[in-house]
Amino acid sequence: MTSVEPEVQAQQTPPRRGEASCAWCGRPVTEGDTGRRRRYCRRSCRQRAYEQRQSLLMRELPEGTVVLSGTESTDLMDRMFQLRCACEDLHTAILEGEDPAELKRMSDELVAAARRAERLR
């Protein structure tokens, strides 16, 4: 182990309370200061997740399996491509010495693309 690894591990902290994403749709889930952490943003998302778990049990698929329609899969792939392009654009701008205001705008765009990409549905 090198001396850099503990620093990297210390920087990889879990999301703070109130910054979770819905386990079904990926939208932000707001939480209170106490109690169990919420997994879903709405009751409808919780219901859809329950229905999917029951469907998987009936088909004898392993728990944690996510089934996407062709349209959902294509949409997810498009969002992942947009995320990769935003990363590459920011990387190029940094290498070319772009001004800080433009880098901030691009990094904001990157964060927005990442939030869109993390939604499964």
Side-chain angles (χ1 to χ4, degrees), residues 8-121:
V8 172
Q9 291 172 353
Q11 292 173 358
Q12 296 174 349
T13 59
R16 293 181 302 222
R17 214 153 167 73
E19 294 182 358
S21 296
C22 178
W24 180 254
C25 70
R27 290 186 187 101
V29 175
T30 55
E31 300 183 41
D33 293 332
T34 61
R36 186 170 46 176
R37 290 179 182 247
R38 293 181 60 194
R39 294 187 60 208
Y40 306 101
C41 63
R42 294 179 273 170
R43 292 176 65 110
S44 60
C45 287
R46 186 176 67 188
Q47 180 64 29
R48 296 297 89 74
Y50 170 79
E51 290 168 357
Q52 184 182 28
R53 285 192 307 272
Q54 294 308 306
S55 176
L56 294 176
L57 287 174
M58 292 172 48
R59 293 184 182 130
E60 297 182 2
L61 294 172
E63 187 174 333
T65 300
V66 176
V67 179
L68 299 175
S69 70
T71 303
E72 290 169 329
S73 176
T74 300
D75 187 49
L76 178 60
M77 294 295 288
D78 287 344
R79 291 192 312 264
M80 294 303 293
F81 177 74
Q82 291 168 0
L83 177 60
R84 183 173 59 84
C85 289
C87 289
E88 290 172 351
D89 290 346
L90 181 59
H91 182 258
T92 301
I94 290 169
L95 292 177
E96 293 177 353
E98 193 66 55
D99 68 288
E102 180 63 13
L103 292 177
K104 182 187 179 324
R105 185 197 64 75
M106 293 177 81
S107 67
D108 290 343
E109 185 178 305
L110 177 60
V111 169
R115 287 188 176 138
R116 285 190 306 271
E118 75 181 349
R119 293 181 314 138
L120 284 179
R121 291 175 165 63

